[in-house]
Amino acid sequence: MGSRWDIRNEGGAALIIALGVMSIMIIIGITVTALALNSNRTVAHDIRLTEAQNVAEAGVDDAIAVTLSNYNDLYPGGSYPPANHSGDGEPFYEQPQPLDDAQGNEVGTYQVWTKEDPDRPGNVLITSIGTVGGTNPQTSTVRVSVKYTAKVFDYALFVGDPDQTYENPAGFSGDCVPELNAKAEGGNVDITGNVHVNGCIQINTSGGGMGHGGGGMHHNQGTVSFLSRDGYTDTVTYTDTYSGDTPNGNQPTLGDEVAFPTVDFDSFDNVVNVDVSSNSHSVPSGVGWSRYGNSLSISAEDFQTNYGSYNAVSIRGVSNAELKITITGSGNSNNPWVITPSILLPGRDSGNKSTVKELELQGQGLSYQPTNGIAIVSAEGEVEVGHGVVVGAPDAGALIYVTGQQQESQFESEEGATIYGSVVVSSNEVELEGSGGQGCGHHNNQDKQVSITYDPAFLSSMPYGWWSGGDLTAVKENFERG
């Protein structure tokens, strides 16, 4: 009797335990199912949100493409919907635009609005709302600040205007003009960013001439390097031929012609005019100018003293003469003299044959940091960046634009020169010489280097309305998801 009672008690306890375990398993199962369903809903929501963002971004890209093809019609004179426009600005399209996939099926729709960016004057703020789904739609908002600018300003180095007719310059030994001639004999030429030549590229890294050894003196072999910026796939393109040695990094390939914009030299504000007479004893007003014949010079210190309070200095000859202007650094590379105003060389006007035929920046104690991002704009003549001169700085790039609007233009960068920003030249030949001076130990390896690094900071600093025409590009300067 006692043993049967114990067995029944134990059986009941086992049943209770089993029921408890089953209850726990059921609860766990329900919980897991609920979590799985919630997770599926979350994943589905995230997928739909991503799809809506992609549709919104497609709307931004579409609006940019339409604008590049119809800029003057959409924004005549560069006039954008005002920054204080209500809401997100003016509708870019009259109604939502469909976005189809590769099979022609509609993925979603986008609506786009534009106005001048209140935080970045001169930019267009594009707001795009992407929508996916029918009965339960998902939306996403994307805002992008876009600067529409001349395509040539989006290059580290750009050579040759397709609208110009070039002649072979004196001493030119090549078969093609315009031409980029990169020479690295015992030194280096490094260009980081996009490069384009509306013409030919010639590269020479061979030794020969002035070093020691062998049967005399010769240069060591140098290097020419075309490099991409971090996170970018930069290119080197030309429209005619490429010859000479093989560069490091990006290899030159054929590309399409790109047109230049025209400069309005009268559009700059806070400008001081420096008029130079052909009188061999005449010098501009202000301290520090000296003259020998048609060559005038001034130290960077005195140049900044005279003109540092202006946004730009416009230098023009006022009678029949061909002038050379030299600005010389008197410090050293660790403690340079800094100049800040833009230098404008508008060239000859109607009835006036006088002009500045050459502007030279000279001396490793010279650092050119233009306040508004534009370093030099010339209509004719030669611009030369000498040994040790620094133009621009990381995150403060500058523009050198040698336009050739009036007459032949040239550009030369000597060994030891460093440029951050963009160099755009309408020239029959551009020479970059990383040739190590005399090749006999007079300069160290750093001195032998010509370095140009694209830094687009000048795009946000440039005054408005000083250029027009040419091929456009769009630069996305800010991206926000809302």
Side-chain angles (χ1 to χ4, degrees):
M1 187 76 174
S3 61
R4 286 197 301 271
W5 176 259
D6 291 341
I7 292 172
R8 283 197 296 270
N9 267 344
E10 291 175 1
L15 179 60
I16 293 172
I17 293 173
L19 290 173
V21 170
M22 289 179 63
S23 299
I24 293 172
M25 293 298 291
I26 291 171
I27 293 171
I28 291 174
I30 293 173
T31 302
V32 169
T33 301
L35 290 173
L37 291 173
N38 185 64
S39 177
N40 288 337
R41 284 194 295 268
T42 300
V43 170
H45 175 269
D46 290 344
I47 291 174
R48 284 159 50 81
L49 179 60
T50 299
E51 291 175 345
Q53 289 174 349
N54 292 337
V55 172
E57 291 176 23
V60 170
D61 291 338
D62 188 30
I64 289 174
V66 171
T67 300
L68 290 176
S69 299
N70 305 275
Y71 183 84
N72 291 327
D73 293 332
L74 291 169
Y75 305 121
S79 177
Y80 304 135
N84 60 0
H85 196 291
S86 60
D88 292 316
E90 293 184 359
F92 193 83
Y93 301 105
E94 293 182 356
Q95 58 188 8
Q97 300 296 298
L99 179 67
D100 297 336
D101 61 19
Q103 288 72 42
N105 302 314
E106 184 175 305
V107 176
T109 61
Y110 52 81
Q111 294 174 286
V112 179
W113 295 263
T114 64
K115 66 178 181 180
E116 184 172 14
D117 191 337
D119 299 320
R120 292 174 174 80
N123 283 22
V124 176
L125 180 63
I126 300 177
T127 300
S128 177
I129 298 180
T131 303
V132 296
T135 57
N136 186 26
Q138 175 67 54
T139 64
S140 179
T141 302
V142 169
R143 290 182 175 86
V144 181
S145 183
V146 176
K147 177 176 288 296
Y148 293 103
T149 189
K151 190 172 184 178
V152 294
F153 299 155
D154 199 30
Y155 288 82
L157 179 62
F158 193 104
V159 178
D161 183 351
D163 294 330
Q164 296 284 349
T165 300
Y166 296 98
E167 297 180 359
N168 287 2
F172 181 71
S173 59
D175 298 323
C176 173
V177 287
E179 180 177 271
L180 168 62
N181 192 345
K183 300 179 180 180
E185 300 169 342
N188 304 319
V189 173
D190 295 341
I191 305 177
T192 303
N194 290 311
V195 176
H196 179 73
V197 182
N198 281 316
C200 304
I201 295 177
Q202 168 73 32
I203 297 175
N204 184 2
T205 61
S206 62
M210 292 294 296
H212 294 292
M217 303 178 70
H218 63 87
H219 287 296
N220 295 322
Q221 185 165 347
T223 62
V224 173
S225 300
F226 297 117
L227 308 173
S228 289
R229 295 162 288 164
D230 291 342
Y232 290 82
T233 303
D234 292 318
T235 61
V236 180
T237 51
Y238 59 92
T239 61
D240 200 324
T241 62
Y242 152 59
S243 59
D245 300 319
T246 301
N248 293 336
N250 301 326
Q251 299 302 302
T253 59
L254 281 171
D256 297 326
E257 289 185 340
V258 180
F260 273 36
T262 299
V263 174
D264 179 5
F265 286 89
D266 294 327
S267 67
F268 291 83
D269 59 3
N270 191 25
V271 178
V272 56
N273 293 309
V274 177
D275 294 330
V276 184
S277 169
S278 63
N279 185 326
S280 61
H281 300 291
S282 174
V283 296
S285 61
V287 300
W289 282 102
S290 62
R291 179 168 185 163
Y292 182 78
N294 285 337
S295 296
L296 294 94
S297 63
I298 187 171
S299 71
E301 178 184 8
D302 289 334
F303 186 89
Q304 185 67 14
T305 298
N306 291 335
Y307 313 120
S309 62
Y310 295 93
N311 292 338
V313 181
S314 179
I315 306 176
R316 191 199 302 263
V318 294
S319 55
N320 191 12
E322 294 185 353
L323 306 169
K324 176 181 178 180
I325 307 293
T326 302
I327 303 173
T328 305
S330 55
N332 56 64
S333 58
N334 295 321
N335 187 27
W337 283 108
V338 177
I339 61 175
T340 59
S342 302
I343 300 175
L344 310 179
L345 305 175
R348 65 194 68 198
D349 53 22
S350 58
N352 185 357
K353 295 183 180 180
S354 174
T355 186
V356 177
K357 295 299 291 184
E358 184 175 351
L359 171 67
E360 181 178 359
L361 307 181
Q362 189 180 87
Q364 61 182 356
L366 174 55
S367 179
Y368 195 175
Q369 307 299 323
T371 302
N372 64 11
I374 300 176
I376 301 167
V377 183
S378 71
E380 60 179 301
E382 180 177 356
V383 172
E384 182 176 324
V385 180
H387 171 73
V389 174
V390 177
V391 180
D395 300 321
L399 171 67
I400 297 175
Y401 186 18
V402 186
T403 72
Q405 281 181 205
Q406 299 286 355
Q407 291 268 334
E408 177 183 314
S409 290
Q410 293 177 283
F411 175 81
E412 182 175 349
S413 182
E414 292 184 345
E415 62 187 52
T418 302
I419 300 172
Y420 298 93
S422 183
V423 178
V424 180
V425 190
S426 172
S427 178
N428 44 25
E429 183 181 26
V430 171
E431 288 189 355
L432 305 179
E433 295 234 27
S435 56
Q438 299 299 314
C440 302
H442 295 287
H443 301 290
N444 60 35
N445 288 336
Q446 184 176 1
D447 289 338
K448 299 175 185 178
Q449 179 172 331
V450 171
S451 176
I452 302 176
T453 301
Y454 183 70
D455 185 317
F458 67 91
L459 292 174
S460 297
S461 303
M462 293 192 300
Y464 175 75
W466 68 278
W467 63 269
S468 61
D471 292 329
L472 281 177
T473 191
V475 180
K476 297 178 181 178
E477 294 189 331
N478 193 43
F479 183 95
E480 295 179 357
R481 290 190 177 100

